[in-house]
Amino acid sequence: MSAKKTARGTDVRAWQRMLSGRRLDLLDPSPLDIEIADIAHGLARVARWNGQTTGAHIFSVAQHTLLVETVLRQEIPRADQRLRLAALLHDAPEYVIGDMISPFKAVLDGHYKAVEKRLLGAIHIRFGLPPALPDEITHAIKAADRGAAYLEATELAGFSDAEAKRLFGRDPGLSDSVRRDYLTPWTAARAEKQFLERFGAVFA
């Protein structure tokens, strides 16, 4: 397992122990140490928008990824399973590093992105995706992500329609029933369960 030297020359731990018993090294993550159960459990307990959302529960990253995959399927009705899987896993590194809001990522500059990229590459390999996705897939997922962010911003995080449009683009136009379900914050248990169910449907 990797260790990192502090300014005083002492070693600090650079891995996290998961509930599965795996020890995931953040400096050199191995696909063999990645389990979907750990991802689902962690993402269901990580809050989007730093927790600044309405509702009795946090709006979790797990629920967000399900919303993104739903928006993607609406935008690309014939999206194949690999594209849907990539969408579902697009924020998977956050089960280890949390969901840092965009302004804080800007403060950290490139360091956060380097760790995130290494983790996502290992996650992709673990589940049969290329470490780096083709540009057209990345762009499609990013568009769905922005559509989901628009909905979350206006429905849960107190943004005006005009502000959300300026920051995230357009409303993806989900049906009222889908919008109502996916934008009502779920319990962690439900978010974890539904994430695993959707994963099972797209990972074949």
Side-chain angles (χ1 to χ4, degrees):
M1 289 291 168
S2 293
K4 181 180 179 181
K5 294 288 186 181
T6 67
R8 296 181 179 179
T10 56
D11 289 340
V12 294
R13 176 169 59 89
W15 53 267
Q16 179 178 349
R17 186 190 186 283
M18 303 298 171
L19 285 179
S20 65
R22 299 288 189 184
R23 294 187 179 190
L24 184 63
D25 189 333
L26 272 69
L27 296 178
D28 185 22
S30 168
L32 297 177
D33 290 326
I34 292 166
E35 301 288 349
I36 194 61
D38 292 331
I39 293 174
H41 185 83
L43 294 185
R45 289 159 176 79
V46 174
R48 288 273 291 169
W49 306 94
N50 261 2
Q52 297 299 307
T53 51
T54 60
H57 305 284
I58 65 165
F59 187 80
S60 71
V61 175
Q63 189 169 349
H64 163 75
T65 61
L66 290 165
L67 177 59
V68 170
E69 193 262 348
T70 299
V71 172
L72 181 97
R73 281 188 285 118
Q74 174 167 288
E75 298 291 325
I76 309 174
R78 295 188 179 183
D80 62 22
Q81 288 181 302
R82 286 169 62 84
L83 177 52
R84 292 175 60 194
L85 177 63
L88 193 64
L89 295 174
H90 80 282
D91 278 340
E94 294 177 8
Y95 89 106
V96 180
I97 56 180
D99 181 28
M100 292 190 184
I101 58 174
S102 296
F104 193 43
K105 290 181 184 179
V107 171
L108 293 178
D109 198 20
H111 301 295
Y112 175 91
K113 284 292 184 184
V115 174
E116 186 179 52
K117 184 177 180 180
R118 283 197 298 269
L119 284 168
L120 187 58
I123 290 164
H124 280 173
I125 292 170
R126 171 65 178 85
F127 300 113
L129 295 170
L133 298 172
D135 287 345
E136 62 269 20
I137 290 179
T138 299
H139 293 154
I141 294 171
K142 186 61 179 176
D145 191 29
R146 287 171 62 83
Y150 177 97
L151 294 173
E152 295 165 21
T154 54
E155 298 285 341
L156 299 169
F159 286 64
S160 69
D161 290 342
E163 187 177 21
K165 185 175 182 179
R166 178 172 58 83
L167 293 171
F168 308 114
R170 64 181 179 84
D171 185 328
L174 296 178
S175 70
D176 288 344
S177 61
V178 172
R179 183 188 297 249
R180 190 162 48 247
D181 185 23
Y182 281 93
L183 293 167
T184 300
W186 301 334
T187 64
R190 180 182 175 188
E192 181 175 350
K193 179 176 183 289
Q194 294 206 196
F195 182 92
L196 287 171
E197 287 177 353
R198 186 71 58 83
F199 175 84
V202 299
F203 182 63

